[in-house]
Amino acid sequence: MTEISPEMLEMGARARAAATMLATASAEAKSGALMAAAQALIAAQTEILTANARDMAAGRDKGLSAPMLDRLMLDEARLQGIAGALREIAAQDDPVGAVISEWDRPSGLHIRRVRTPLGVVGVIYESRPNVTADAGALCLKSGNAVILRGGSESFHSSRAIHAALVAGLQAAGLPEDAIQLVQTTDRAAVSDMLRMVEHIDVIVPRGGKGLVGLVQREARVPVFSHLEGICHVYVDASADADKARRVVINAKTRRTSPCGAAECLLIHRDLVDGLGAQIIADLVAAGVEMRVDEGLQHLPGVVRARPEDFGYEFLDKIMAAAVVDDVDAAMAHIRQYGSQHTDAILAEDDSVAARFFAGLDSAILMRNASTQFADGGEFGLGAEIGIATGKMHARGPVGAEQLTSFKYLVTGDGTVRA
């Protein structure tokens, strides 16, 4: 096994020292840093968009796909959205020190379980430069230092955004090492981060299946992640037609590149030639290539699905569709082909919806709502550092609160154990 580079070890040591200081930083200082960072971000708009234009040009030259370019692209509106997320996170209650529960024991002890930072978070991501701001802000809010390693695709954009975050830290008198950005595109830095068990407490990968799979296979540091966003929408026999048509078209076509975009449509058998046909026609009219099973092949504009189309994350204007007999068959399909990310049901029957919610173990389950809401900002978290589908700590959109652990504070009065 190769040695961890001295540069990465130094970053880790500086992050650990900064995390010690952040653990006792005031809520006002952290919020002030985020507000100042938002202001610096808008002030540097020209520089950031110029840097992003360089990344976009390089991405086109490299032949990046349309979904990857969409994730990479920044404009004035997206930059305003990033600044807005920083302000929203700043305005949230500080999770550090919050009392989760407390109780008294017959022994005379008073016990409190309180939130505490994880320490140092490592974030490895690909083409989304907004992750630089989102991850930096959420880690700061939760009292954690962070080491960010963006992909080569977003190198210049991420550096420009990171400069605004550092300006915010400086304005609030917080350590600049609280938010560090790896200044190289050398892939060795990723391998180093995955093995820095003494310096990094958790790794969060943000990117495609290749990156996340690599991290999950090789990391010695604990990982929060999801491998794929294979999101399903099931249209039940009890679905309201107007709601169903509106939700399905949004779930697939609002944007096709986010991990919350729907990839598979499941239609109750009783609806195939009625509402189901209408929904398929809506999607075809919107330019979606519908790859369907035998129960839907008689509908106009569709193509025959291949077996591998089910359980595939297209991230494009392509969608698989199948007919199911009932909610139990829909859940069986989702268990076989889904990724425990986000799955939705369109149903007016409360008992059917309750069965769907109880019977599936996806991180996010929705009723009569688009899967595109699978986003930390839409959940009121300001932003997210990623979506987690594991079960041991964080699940769903990972915001500031889920970037904390807890400790017990126990108070006695000369209390001794019998």
Side-chain angles (χ1 to χ4, degrees), residues 118 121-122 201-206 212 215-216 221-226 385-390 392-395 398 402-404:
L118 295 174
V121 179
D201 295 287
V202 66
I203 291 283
V204 182
R206 286 285 300 270
V212 178
V215 170
Q216 291 178 335
V221 179
V223 177
F224 294 165
S225 67
H226 74 274
I385 200 169
I387 300 281
T389 54
M392 296 306 293
H393 182 85
R395 293 207 87 191
V398 179
Q402 293 206 67
L403 290 172
T404 62

Side-chain angles (χ1 to χ4, degrees), residues 49 74 95 101 119 165 172 182 185 194 223 253-254 298 314 335 339-340:
L49 295 183
L74 292 175
S101 58
L165 298 176
V182 176
T185 58
L194 300 182
V223 177
T253 68
R254 174 191 163 268
H298 64 287
F314 297 106
R335 291 189 197 104
S339 59
Q340 295 190 319

Side-chain angles (χ1 to χ4, degrees), residues 92 95 115-116 138 142 381 393 398-405:
Q92 293 173 354
R115 295 198 179 280
T116 186
L138 289 168
S142 52
L381 306 180
H393 182 85
V398 179
E401 184 177 288
Q402 293 206 67
L403 290 172
T404 62
S405 183

Side-chain angles (χ1 to χ4, degrees), residues 11 25 38 65 77 82 110 155 182 245 281 301 314 342 351-352 356 382:
M11 286 187 77
S65 66
I82 294 171
H110 180 70
F155 182 69
V182 176
R245 293 177 69 181
F314 297 106
T342 301
S351 63
V352 169
F356 187 86

